[in-house]
Coordinates of all heavy atoms in Angstrom, one line a residue:
V174 N 91.4 -85.6 -58.4 CA 91.2 -85.6 -59.9 C 91.1 -87.0 -60.4 O 90.2 -87.3 -61.2 CB 92.4 -84.9 -60.6 CG1 92.3 -85.0 -62.1 CG2 92.5 -83.4 -60.1
E175 N 91.9 -88.0 -59.9 CA 91.8 -89.4 -60.4 C 90.4 -90.0 -60.1 O 89.8 -90.7 -60.9 CB 92.9 -90.2 -59.7 CG 94.3 -89.9 -60.3 CD 95.3 -90.8 -59.5 OE1 95.0 -91.9 -59.0 OE2 96.5 -90.3 -59.5
M176 N 89.9 -89.6 -58.9 CA 88.6 -90.2 -58.5 C 87.5 -89.6 -59.4 O 86.6 -90.4 -59.9 CB 88.2 -89.7 -57.0 CG 87.0 -90.4 -56.6 SD 86.5 -89.8 -55.0 CE 87.9 -90.0 -54.0
L177 N 87.5 -88.3 -59.8 CA 86.6 -87.8 -60.7 C 86.7 -88.4 -62.0 O 85.7 -88.7 -62.7 CB 86.7 -86.3 -60.8 CG 86.3 -85.5 -59.5 CD1 86.6 -84.0 -59.6 CD2 84.8 -85.7 -59.2
E178 N 87.9 -88.6 -62.6 CA 88.1 -89.3 -63.8 C 87.6 -90.7 -63.8 O 87.0 -91.1 -64.8 CB 89.6 -89.2 -64.2 CG 90.1 -87.8 -64.5 CD 91.6 -87.8 -64.7 OE1 92.3 -88.8 -64.5 OE2 92.1 -86.7 -65.1
Y179 N 87.8 -91.4 -62.7 CA 87.3 -92.8 -62.6 C 85.8 -92.8 -62.8 O 85.2 -93.6 -63.5 CB 87.7 -93.4 -61.3 CG 87.1 -94.7 -61.0 CD1 87.4 -95.9 -61.7 CD2 86.1 -94.7 -60.0 CE1 86.8 -97.1 -61.4 CE2 85.5 -96.0 -59.7 CZ 85.9 -97.1 -60.4 OH 85.2 -98.2 -60.0
R180 N 85.1 -91.9 -62.0 CA 83.7 -91.9 -62.0 C 83.1 -91.4 -63.3 O 82.1 -92.0 -63.8 CB 83.2 -90.9 -60.9 CG 83.4 -91.4 -59.5 CD 83.1 -90.4 -58.4 NE 83.3 -90.9 -57.1 CZ 83.0 -90.3 -56.0 NH1 82.3 -89.1 -56.1 NH2 83.3 -90.8 -54.9
T181 N 83.8 -90.5 -63.9 CA 83.3 -90.1 -65.2 C 83.4 -91.2 -66.3 O 82.4 -91.4 -67.0 CB 84.2 -88.8 -65.7 OG1 84.0 -87.8 -64.8 CG2 83.7 -88.4 -67.1
R182 N 84.5 -91.9 -66.3 CA 84.7 -93.1 -67.2 C 83.6 -94.1 -67.0 O 83.1 -94.7 -67.9 CB 86.1 -93.7 -67.0 CG 87.2 -93.0 -67.7 CD 88.5 -93.8 -67.7 NE 88.8 -94.4 -66.5 CZ 89.6 -93.8 -65.6 NH1 90.0 -92.6 -65.8 NH2 89.9 -94.4 -64.4
R183 N 83.3 -94.4 -65.7 CA 82.3 -95.4 -65.4 C 81.0 -94.9 -65.8 O 80.2 -95.8 -66.4 CB 82.3 -95.7 -63.9 CG 83.6 -96.3 -63.3 CD 83.8 -97.7 -63.7 NE 82.9 -98.5 -62.9 CZ 82.9 -99.8 -62.9 NH1 83.8 -100.5 -63.6 NH2 82.0 -100.5 -62.3
L184 N 80.6 -93.7 -65.6 CA 79.3 -93.2 -66.0 C 79.1 -93.1 -67.6 O 78.0 -93.1 -68.0 CB 79.1 -91.8 -65.4 CG 78.8 -91.8 -63.9 CD1 78.8 -90.4 -63.3 CD2 77.4 -92.4 -63.6
E185 N 80.2 -93.0 -68.3 CA 80.2 -92.9 -69.7 C 80.1 -94.3 -70.4 O 79.9 -94.4 -71.6 CB 81.4 -92.1 -70.3 CG 81.3 -90.7 -70.0 CD 82.6 -89.9 -70.3 OE1 83.6 -90.6 -70.6 OE2 82.5 -88.6 -70.3
M186 N 80.3 -95.4 -69.6 CA 80.2 -96.7 -70.2 C 78.8 -97.0 -70.5 O 77.9 -96.4 -70.1 CB 80.7 -97.8 -69.2 CG 82.2 -97.6 -68.8 SD 82.7 -98.6 -67.4 CE 82.9 -100.2 -68.3
E187 N 78.6 -98.0 -71.5 CA 77.3 -98.4 -71.8 C 76.5 -99.0 -70.6 O 77.2 -99.6 -69.7 CB 77.3 -99.6 -72.8 CG 77.8 -99.1 -74.2 CD 76.7 -98.2 -74.9 OE1 75.6 -98.6 -74.8 OE2 77.2 -97.2 -75.4
P188 N 75.2 -98.7 -70.6 CA 74.5 -99.2 -69.4 C 74.5 -100.7 -69.3 O 74.6 -101.4 -70.3 CB 73.0 -98.7 -69.7 CG 73.2 -97.7 -70.6 CD 74.4 -97.9 -71.5
V189 N 74.4 -101.2 -68.1 CA 74.5 -102.7 -67.8 C 73.0 -103.2 -67.8 O 72.1 -102.6 -67.1 CB 75.1 -102.9 -66.5 CG1 75.1 -104.5 -66.2 CG2 76.6 -102.5 -66.5
A190 N 72.7 -104.2 -68.5 CA 71.3 -104.8 -68.5 C 71.2 -105.7 -67.2 O 71.8 -106.8 -67.2 CB 71.0 -105.7 -69.7
W191 N 70.6 -105.3 -66.2 CA 70.5 -106.0 -65.0 C 69.8 -107.4 -65.1 O 70.3 -108.3 -64.6 CB 69.6 -105.1 -64.0 CG 69.4 -105.9 -62.7 CD1 68.4 -106.7 -62.4 CD2 70.3 -105.9 -61.6 NE1 68.5 -107.2 -61.1 CE2 69.7 -106.7 -60.6 CE3 71.5 -105.2 -61.3 CZ2 70.3 -106.9 -59.4 CZ3 72.0 -105.5 -60.0 CH2 71.4 -106.3 -59.1
N192 N 68.8 -107.5 -65.9 CA 68.0 -108.7 -66.0 C 68.9 -109.8 -66.6 O 68.6 -111.0 -66.5 CB 66.7 -108.4 -66.9 CG 65.8 -107.4 -66.3 OD1 66.3 -106.3 -66.1 ND2 64.7 -107.8 -65.9
E193 N 69.8 -109.5 -67.5 CA 70.5 -110.5 -68.2 C 71.8 -111.0 -67.6 O 72.0 -112.2 -67.4 CB 70.9 -110.0 -69.6 CG 69.7 -109.7 -70.5 CD 70.1 -109.0 -71.8 OE1 71.3 -108.9 -72.1 OE2 69.2 -108.5 -72.5
T194 N 72.6 -110.1 -67.1 CA 73.9 -110.6 -66.6 C 74.3 -110.1 -65.2 O 75.1 -110.7 -64.6 CB 75.0 -110.1 -67.5 OG1 74.9 -108.6 -67.6 CG2 74.9 -110.6 -68.9
V195 N 73.8 -109.1 -64.7 CA 74.3 -108.4 -63.5 C 74.1 -109.2 -62.2 O 74.9 -109.3 -61.4 CB 73.8 -107.0 -63.4 CG1 74.2 -106.4 -62.1 CG2 74.3 -106.2 -64.5
S196 N 72.9 -109.8 -62.0 CA 72.6 -110.4 -60.8 C 73.6 -111.4 -60.3 O 74.0 -111.4 -59.1 CB 71.2 -111.0 -60.8 OG 71.2 -111.9 -61.8
S197 N 74.2 -112.2 -61.2 CA 75.2 -113.2 -60.7 C 76.5 -112.5 -60.5 O 77.2 -112.9 -59.6 CB 75.4 -114.3 -61.8 OG 75.8 -113.7 -63.1
A198 N 76.9 -111.5 -61.3 CA 78.1 -110.9 -61.1 C 78.2 -110.0 -59.8 O 79.2 -110.0 -59.1 CB 78.5 -109.9 -62.3
V199 N 77.1 -109.4 -59.5 CA 77.0 -108.6 -58.2 C 77.1 -109.5 -57.0 O 77.6 -109.0 -56.0 CB 75.6 -107.8 -58.2 CG1 75.4 -107.2 -56.9 CG2 75.6 -106.8 -59.3
S200 N 76.6 -110.7 -57.0 CA 76.7 -111.6 -55.8 C 78.1 -111.9 -55.6 O 78.6 -112.0 -54.4 CB 75.8 -112.8 -56.0 OG 76.3 -113.6 -57.1
R201 N 79.0 -111.9 -56.6 CA 80.4 -112.2 -56.4 C 81.1 -110.9 -56.1 O 82.1 -110.9 -55.2 CB 81.0 -112.8 -57.7 CG 80.5 -114.2 -57.9 CD 81.3 -114.8 -59.0 NE 81.4 -114.1 -60.3 CZ 80.4 -114.3 -61.2 NH1 79.5 -115.0 -61.1 NH2 80.5 -113.5 -62.3
D202 N 80.8 -109.7 -56.7 CA 81.6 -108.5 -56.4 C 80.6 -107.3 -56.7 O 80.5 -106.9 -57.9 CB 82.8 -108.5 -57.3 CG 83.6 -107.2 -57.1 OD1 83.5 -106.5 -56.1 OD2 84.5 -106.9 -58.0
P203 N 80.0 -106.8 -55.7 CA 79.1 -105.6 -55.9 C 79.8 -104.4 -56.5 O 79.2 -103.6 -57.0 CB 78.7 -105.3 -54.5 CG 79.0 -106.4 -53.6 CD 80.1 -107.2 -54.3
A204 N 81.2 -104.3 -56.4 CA 81.8 -103.1 -57.0 C 81.7 -103.0 -58.5 O 82.0 -102.0 -59.1 CB 83.3 -103.1 -56.6
V205 N 81.3 -104.1 -59.1 CA 81.2 -104.0 -60.6 C 80.1 -103.0 -61.0 O 80.2 -102.5 -62.1 CB 80.8 -105.4 -61.2 CG1 81.9 -106.5 -61.0 CG2 79.4 -105.9 -60.8
L206 N 79.3 -102.6 -60.1 CA 78.3 -101.7 -60.5 C 78.6 -100.2 -60.0 O 77.8 -99.4 -60.3 CB 76.9 -102.0 -59.9 CG 76.3 -103.3 -60.4 CD1 74.9 -103.6 -59.7 CD2 76.1 -103.3 -61.9
E207 N 79.7 -100.1 -59.4 CA 80.0 -98.8 -58.9 C 80.1 -97.7 -60.0 O 80.8 -97.8 -61.0 CB 81.4 -98.8 -58.3 CG 81.8 -97.6 -57.5 CD 83.1 -97.7 -56.8 OE1 84.1 -98.2 -57.4 OE2 83.1 -97.4 -55.6
F208 N 79.2 -96.7 -59.9 CA 79.1 -95.6 -60.8 C 78.7 -96.1 -62.2 O 79.1 -95.4 -63.2 CB 80.4 -94.8 -60.8 CG 80.8 -94.2 -59.5 CD1 81.8 -94.7 -58.8 CD2 80.1 -93.2 -59.0 CE1 82.1 -94.2 -57.5 CE2 80.4 -92.6 -57.7 CZ 81.4 -93.2 -57.0
R209 N 78.0 -97.1 -62.3 CA 77.5 -97.6 -63.6 C 76.1 -97.3 -63.8 O 75.3 -97.4 -62.8 CB 77.7 -99.1 -63.7 CG 79.2 -99.6 -63.9 CD 79.9 -99.1 -65.1 NE 79.2 -99.5 -66.3 CZ 79.4 -100.6 -67.0 NH1 80.3 -101.5 -66.6 NH2 78.8 -100.8 -68.2
K210 N 75.6 -97.1 -65.0 CA 74.2 -96.9 -65.3 C 73.6 -98.3 -65.5 O 74.3 -99.2 -66.0 CB 74.0 -96.1 -66.6 CG 74.5 -94.7 -66.4 CD 74.3 -93.9 -67.7 CE 74.8 -92.5 -67.6 NZ 74.7 -91.7 -68.9
I211 N 72.4 -98.5 -65.0 CA 71.8 -99.8 -65.1 C 70.4 -99.7 -65.8 O 69.7 -98.7 -65.7 CB 71.4 -100.2 -63.6 CG1 72.7 -100.3 -62.7 CG2 70.6 -101.6 -63.6 CD1 73.6 -101.4 -63.2
V212 N 70.1 -100.7 -66.6 CA 68.8 -100.7 -67.3 C 68.2 -101.9 -66.8 O 68.7 -103.0 -66.8 CB 69.0 -100.8 -68.8 CG1 67.7 -101.0 -69.5 CG2 69.7 -99.6 -69.4
C213 N 66.9 -101.8 -66.3 CA 66.3 -103.0 -65.8 C 64.7 -102.9 -66.1 O 64.1 -101.9 -65.9 CB 66.4 -103.0 -64.2 SG 65.6 -104.4 -63.4
E214 N 64.2 -104.0 -66.6 CA 62.7 -104.1 -66.7 C 62.1 -104.8 -65.5 O 62.7 -105.8 -65.0 CB 62.5 -104.9 -68.0 CG 62.8 -104.2 -69.3 CD 62.4 -105.0 -70.5 OE1 61.5 -105.8 -70.4 OE2 63.0 -104.8 -71.5
G215 N 61.1 -104.2 -65.1 CA 60.5 -104.9 -63.9 C 59.2 -104.2 -63.5 O 58.6 -103.4 -64.3
D216 N 58.6 -104.5 -62.4 CA 57.4 -104.0 -61.9 C 57.6 -103.3 -60.5 O 58.3 -104.0 -59.7 CB 56.4 -105.1 -61.8 CG 56.1 -105.8 -63.1 OD1 55.6 -105.0 -64.0 OD2 56.4 -106.9 -63.2
F217 N 57.0 -102.2 -60.4 CA 57.2 -101.5 -59.0 C 56.3 -102.2 -58.0 O 55.1 -102.5 -58.4 CB 56.8 -100.0 -59.1 CG 57.9 -99.1 -59.8 CD1 57.6 -98.6 -61.1 CD2 59.1 -99.0 -59.2 CE1 58.7 -98.0 -61.8 CE2 60.0 -98.2 -59.8 CZ 59.8 -97.7 -61.1
H218 N 56.8 -102.4 -56.9 CA 56.1 -103.1 -55.8 C 55.6 -101.9 -54.9 O 56.1 -101.6 -53.8 CB 57.0 -104.0 -55.0 CG 56.3 -105.0 -54.2 ND1 55.2 -104.6 -53.3 CD2 56.5 -106.3 -54.0 CE1 54.8 -105.7 -52.7 NE2 55.6 -106.7 -53.0
T219 N 54.4 -101.3 -55.3 CA 54.0 -100.1 -54.6 C 53.5 -100.3 -53.2 O 53.5 -99.4 -52.4 CB 52.8 -99.4 -55.4 OG1 51.8 -100.4 -55.6 CG2 53.3 -98.9 -56.7
E220 N 53.1 -101.6 -52.9 CA 52.7 -101.9 -51.5 C 53.9 -101.8 -50.5 O 53.7 -101.7 -49.4 CB 52.1 -103.3 -51.4 CG 50.8 -103.4 -52.2 CD 51.0 -103.7 -53.6 OE1 52.1 -104.2 -54.0 OE2 50.1 -103.4 -54.4
K221 N 55.1 -101.8 -51.0 CA 56.3 -101.7 -50.2 C 57.0 -100.4 -50.2 O 58.1 -100.3 -49.8 CB 57.3 -102.8 -50.6 CG 56.8 -104.2 -50.5 CD 56.7 -104.7 -49.0 CE 56.4 -106.1 -48.9 NZ 56.4 -106.6 -47.6
S222 N 56.3 -99.3 -50.8 CA 56.9 -98.0 -50.8 C 57.2 -97.5 -49.4 O 56.4 -97.8 -48.4 CB 55.9 -97.1 -51.5 OG 55.8 -97.4 -52.9
V223 N 58.3 -96.8 -49.4 CA 58.6 -96.2 -48.1 C 58.7 -94.6 -48.3 O 59.2 -94.1 -49.3 CB 60.0 -96.6 -47.6 CG1 60.6 -95.9 -46.4 CG2 60.1 -98.1 -47.5
F224 N 58.1 -93.9 -47.4 CA 58.2 -92.5 -47.4 C 59.3 -91.9 -46.4 O 59.1 -92.2 -45.2 CB 56.8 -91.9 -47.1 CG 55.7 -92.2 -48.1 CD1 55.1 -93.5 -48.0 CD2 55.4 -91.4 -49.1 CE1 54.1 -93.9 -48.9 CE2 54.5 -91.8 -50.1 CZ 53.8 -93.0 -50.0
L225 N 60.2 -91.2 -46.9 CA 61.2 -90.5 -46.0 C 60.9 -89.0 -45.9 O 60.8 -88.3 -46.9 CB 62.6 -90.7 -46.7 CG 63.1 -92.1 -46.8 CD1 64.5 -92.1 -47.4 CD2 63.2 -92.8 -45.5
G226 N 60.8 -88.6 -44.7 CA 60.6 -87.2 -44.5 C 60.1 -86.9 -43.2 O 60.2 -87.8 -42.2
P227 N 59.6 -85.7 -42.9 CA 59.3 -84.8 -44.0 C 60.7 -84.1 -44.5 O 61.7 -84.1 -43.8 CB 58.5 -83.7 -43.4 CG 58.8 -83.8 -41.9 CD 59.2 -85.3 -41.7
R228 N 60.6 -83.7 -45.8 CA 61.7 -83.0 -46.4 C 61.2 -81.7 -46.9 O 60.1 -81.5 -47.3 CB 62.3 -83.8 -47.7 CG 62.8 -85.2 -47.3 CD 64.1 -85.0 -46.6 NE 64.7 -86.4 -46.5 CZ 65.5 -86.7 -45.6 NH1 65.9 -85.8 -44.7 NH2 66.1 -87.9 -45.5
S229 N 62.1 -80.7 -47.0 CA 61.7 -79.5 -47.6 C 62.7 -79.0 -48.6 O 63.9 -79.4 -48.6 CB 61.5 -78.4 -46.5 OG 62.8 -78.2 -45.9
R230 N 62.3 -78.2 -49.5 CA 63.1 -77.7 -50.6 C 62.7 -76.2 -50.8 O 61.6 -75.8 -50.6 CB 63.1 -78.5 -51.8 CG 61.8 -78.4 -52.6 CD 61.9 -79.2 -53.9 NE 60.6 -79.0 -54.6 CZ 60.5 -79.4 -55.8 NH1 61.4 -80.1 -56.5 NH2 59.3 -79.2 -56.4
S231 N 63.6 -75.4 -51.3 CA 63.4 -74.0 -51.5 C 63.6 -73.8 -53.0 O 64.7 -74.0 -53.5 CB 64.3 -73.1 -50.7 OG 64.1 -71.8 -50.9
I232 N 62.6 -73.3 -53.7 CA 62.6 -72.9 -55.0 C 62.3 -71.4 -55.2 O 61.2 -71.0 -54.8 CB 61.7 -73.7 -55.9 CG1 62.1 -75.2 -55.8 CG2 61.7 -73.2 -57.4 CD1 61.2 -76.2 -56.5
S233 N 63.2 -70.7 -55.6 CA 63.0 -69.2 -55.8 C 62.5 -68.6 -54.5 O 61.6 -67.7 -54.5 CB 62.0 -68.9 -56.9 OG 62.5 -69.4 -58.2
G234 N 63.0 -69.0 -53.3 CA 62.7 -68.4 -52.1 C 61.4 -69.0 -51.4 O 61.1 -68.6 -50.4
V235 N 60.7 -69.9 -52.2 CA 59.5 -70.4 -51.7 C 59.8 -71.8 -51.2 O 60.4 -72.7 -51.9 CB 58.4 -70.5 -52.8 CG1 57.2 -71.2 -52.3 CG2 58.1 -69.2 -53.3
T236 N 59.5 -72.1 -49.9 CA 59.8 -73.4 -49.3 C 58.6 -74.3 -49.5 O 57.4 -73.9 -49.2 CB 60.1 -73.3 -47.8 OG1 61.2 -72.4 -47.7 CG2 60.4 -74.6 -47.2
E237 N 58.8 -75.6 -50.0 CA 57.8 -76.6 -50.2 C 58.2 -77.7 -49.3 O 59.3 -78.1 -49.2 CB 57.7 -77.0 -51.6 CG 57.3 -75.9 -52.6 CD 57.3 -76.4 -54.1 OE1 57.9 -77.5 -54.4 OE2 56.7 -75.7 -54.9
N238 N 57.1 -78.4 -48.7 CA 57.4 -79.5 -47.8 C 56.9 -80.8 -48.6 O 55.9 -80.8 -49.4 CB 56.6 -79.4 -46.5 CG 57.2 -78.3 -45.6 OD1 58.4 -78.1 -45.6 ND2 56.3 -77.5 -45.0
G239 N 57.5 -81.9 -48.3 CA 57.1 -83.1 -49.0 C 58.0 -84.3 -48.5 O 58.5 -84.2 -47.4
Y240 N 57.9 -85.4 -49.2 CA 58.7 -86.6 -48.9 C 59.4 -87.2 -50.0 O 59.0 -86.9 -51.2 CB 57.7 -87.7 -48.4 CG 56.9 -87.3 -47.1 CD1 55.9 -86.5 -47.0 CD2 57.4 -87.8 -45.9 CE1 55.2 -86.2 -45.8 CE2 56.8 -87.6 -44.7 CZ 55.7 -86.7 -44.7 OH 55.1 -86.4 -43.5
Y241 N 60.4 -88.0 -49.7 CA 61.1 -88.8 -50.7 C 60.2 -90.1 -50.7 O 59.9 -90.6 -49.7 CB 62.5 -89.1 -50.5 CG 63.5 -88.0 -50.6 CD1 64.3 -87.6 -49.6 CD2 63.5 -87.2 -51.8 CE1 65.2 -86.6 -49.7 CE2 64.4 -86.2 -51.9 CZ 65.3 -85.9 -50.8 OH 66.1 -84.8 -51.0
V242 N 59.9 -90.6 -51.9 CA 59.2 -91.9 -52.0 C 60.1 -92.9 -52.7 O 60.7 -92.7 -53.8 CB 57.9 -91.7 -52.9 CG1 57.2 -93.1 -53.0 CG2 57.0 -90.7 -52.3
I243 N 60.4 -94.0 -51.9 CA 61.3 -95.1 -52.5 C 60.4 -96.3 -52.7 O 59.8 -96.8 -51.7 CB 62.4 -95.4 -51.4 CG1 63.3 -94.1 -51.3 CG2 63.3 -96.5 -51.9 CD1 64.3 -94.2 -50.2
T244 N 60.4 -96.8 -53.9 CA 59.5 -97.9 -54.2 C 60.5 -99.0 -54.9 O 61.2 -98.7 -55.8 CB 58.5 -97.5 -55.2 OG1 57.7 -96.5 -54.7 CG2 57.5 -98.7 -55.6
P245 N 60.5 -100.2 -54.4 CA 61.3 -101.3 -54.9 C 60.8 -101.6 -56.3 O 59.6 -101.7 -56.6 CB 61.1 -102.4 -54.0 CG 60.1 -102.1 -53.0 CD 59.7 -100.6 -53.2
L246 N 61.8 -102.0 -57.2 CA 61.5 -102.5 -58.5 C 61.8 -104.0 -58.5 O 62.9 -104.4 -58.2 CB 62.4 -101.8 -59.5 CG 62.2 -102.3 -61.0 CD1 60.8 -101.8 -61.5 CD2 63.3 -101.8 -61.8
I247 N 60.9 -104.8 -58.8 CA 61.0 -106.3 -58.8 C 61.4 -106.6 -60.3 O 60.6 -106.4 -61.2 CB 59.8 -107.0 -58.5 CG1 59.2 -106.6 -57.1 CG2 60.0 -108.5 -58.5 CD1 60.2 -106.6 -55.9
P248 N 62.7 -107.0 -60.5 CA 63.2 -107.3 -61.9 C 62.3 -108.4 -62.5 O 61.9 -109.4 -61.9 CB 64.6 -107.7 -61.7 CG 65.0 -107.2 -60.4 CD 63.8 -107.2 -59.5
R249 N 62.1 -108.2 -63.8 CA 61.3 -109.2 -64.6 C 62.3 -110.1 -65.2 O 63.2 -109.7 -65.9 CB 60.5 -108.5 -65.7 CG 59.3 -109.2 -66.2 CD 58.5 -108.4 -67.2 NE 57.9 -107.2 -66.5 CZ 57.9 -106.0 -67.0 NH1 58.5 -105.7 -68.1 NH2 57.4 -105.0 -66.3
P250 N 62.2 -111.5 -65.1 CA 63.1 -112.3 -65.8 C 63.0 -112.2 -67.3 O 61.9 -112.0 -67.8 CB 62.6 -113.8 -65.4 CG 61.6 -113.6 -64.2 CD 61.1 -112.2 -64.3
T251 N 64.1 -112.3 -67.9 CA 64.1 -112.2 -69.4 C 64.5 -113.5 -70.0 O 65.1 -114.4 -69.4 CB 65.1 -111.1 -69.9 OG1 66.4 -111.5 -69.4 CG2 64.7 -109.8 -69.4
E252 N 64.1 -113.7 -71.2 CA 64.4 -114.9 -72.0 C 65.9 -114.8 -72.5 O 66.3 -113.8 -72.7 CB 63.5 -115.0 -73.2 CG 62.0 -115.1 -72.8 CD 61.2 -115.0 -74.1 OE1 61.7 -115.2 -75.1 OE2 60.0 -114.8 -73.9
P253 N 66.6 -116.0 -72.5 CA 68.0 -115.9 -72.9 C 68.1 -115.4 -74.4 O 67.2 -115.6 -75.2 CB 68.4 -117.4 -72.9 CG 67.5 -118.0 -72.0 CD 66.2 -117.3 -72.1
G254 N 69.1 -114.5 -74.6 CA 69.3 -113.9 -75.9 C 68.4 -112.8 -76.2 O 68.4 -112.2 -77.3
R255 N 67.7 -112.3 -75.3 CA 66.8 -111.1 -75.4 C 67.4 -109.8 -75.0 O 68.3 -109.8 -74.2 CB 65.5 -111.4 -74.7 CG 64.4 -110.5 -75.2 CD 63.2 -110.7 -74.4 NE 62.7 -109.4 -74.1 CZ 61.7 -109.1 -73.3 NH1 61.2 -110.1 -72.6 NH2 61.3 -108.0 -73.1

């Protein structure tokens, strides 16, 4: 019960702006992001996409095959005070 309450509290906190403050804090202690929502502006690096699979899912008894697509997001630097 305590673990669920901890996760719920963390998920209900305001999102963290990755571009402004998080990168330096994470290098010291990655746990600061545990169960936190993150907001980040950046550009997807589609040339580095990775396809995981094959995966299948069943919807209403119909099986569909596909892949998970993981694409890195390159954070865009922000101006101070933005």
Side-chain angles (χ1 to χ4, degrees):
V174 173
E175 288 178 27
M176 185 186 308
L177 290 175
E178 290 172 353
Y179 169 76
R180 291 176 181 187
T181 301
R182 281 192 311 272
R183 299 284 291 185
L184 287 169
E185 290 173 348
M186 294 172 80
E187 286 294 316
V189 176
W191 176 269
N192 301 60
E193 294 173 9
T194 58
V195 174
S196 58
S197 61
V199 170
S200 63
R201 289 189 306 271
D202 183 15
V205 298
L206 297 181
E207 186 175 53
F208 302 106
R209 290 296 304 270
K210 293 179 183 177
I211 303 292
V212 176
C213 182
E214 292 184 21
D216 301 297
F217 287 108
H218 196 316
T219 55
E220 295 82 24
K221 297 287 184 175
S222 292
V223 175
F224 295 84
L225 296 178
R228 301 282 189 211
S229 60
R230 67 177 183 173
S231 179
I232 300 176
S233 301
V235 177
T236 301
E237 297 178 343
N238 294 319
Y240 292 83
Y241 290 127
V242 180
I243 300 173
T244 304
L246 180 72
I247 308 302
R249 199 176 299 135
T251 58
E252 300 170 18
R255 202 178 133 192

